[in-house]
Amino acid sequence: MKSAPGADETRIRRALDERGVSYAPQPPAAPERPRDWLDEHFDATATPQTRPPDPPAPPDKPAATDGGAEPHWDWQRLRHWPYARLVCGAAVALIPWYRGQSAALTWGHVLEQARAQASTGGAYVIAAVGLTVGAIWVHRRHSWIAWTVLTSAFIGAVAMAHPYDLITLITGVTK
């Protein structure tokens, strides 16, 4: 289906015609297929598309205010937020609880001690076990405690790792 040419198209066609350049000849349009019994059947049985009904309007409920100030926060909305458990678990893992250190940094300190006292490989094995336990727990139970464990395991593993470990793994050269 063709539409009428716009002002720009007519101006460009006129400029091309003045320069002696024109469009390539277009092939003739295909002949229209004659209507048959199937077209008549579709016309007779087609139902017009109707719009689905609009959803019901939400009930009007006034926001709770304290003496004309801003409305209170609706804490019930957080129960339906899909990332609430993840954010709460990560926050709990990062809040400094014990001697000014968070659970994640405490786990990182434990891994650094394992690295110093046992071996680098042993510390990586312990870190991998912690990450695996956290990932399995998050996969099975989407609780904030599981997210706390996974966040602590990940940040602890990053705190324990050194960039030179990759060079030692590839080349075998130690410091």
Side-chain angles (χ1 to χ4, degrees), residues 86-152:
L86 178 134
V87 170
C88 290
V92 168
L94 297 174
I95 292 175
W97 294 101
Y98 180 70
R99 295 185 183 177
Q101 286 193 339
S102 65
L105 291 180
T106 304
W107 179 247
H109 181 68
V110 168
L111 292 175
E112 285 177 0
Q113 284 181 343
R115 179 188 180 104
Q117 294 176 2
S119 68
T120 304
Y124 274 105
V125 167
I126 295 170
V129 167
L131 281 169
T132 305
V133 167
I136 289 172
W137 200 4
V138 164
H139 180 70
R140 291 190 180 173
R141 281 187 63 175
H142 299 286
S143 65
W144 65 271
I145 297 172
W147 284 107
T148 302
V149 169
L150 184 62
T151 305
S152 298

Side-chain angles (χ1 to χ4, degrees), residues 11-36:
R11 182 178 49 81
I12 291 171
R13 280 188 187 187
R14 194 175 324 119
L16 288 174
D17 287 340
E18 288 173 1
R19 292 186 180 135
V21 180
S22 62
Y23 289 110
Q26 298 293 322
E32 188 173 322
R33 181 181 62 83
R35 292 181 56 86
D36 57 358

Side-chain angles (χ1 to χ4, degrees), residues 47 68 93 114 148 157 175:
T47 58
T148 302
K175 293 181 183 178

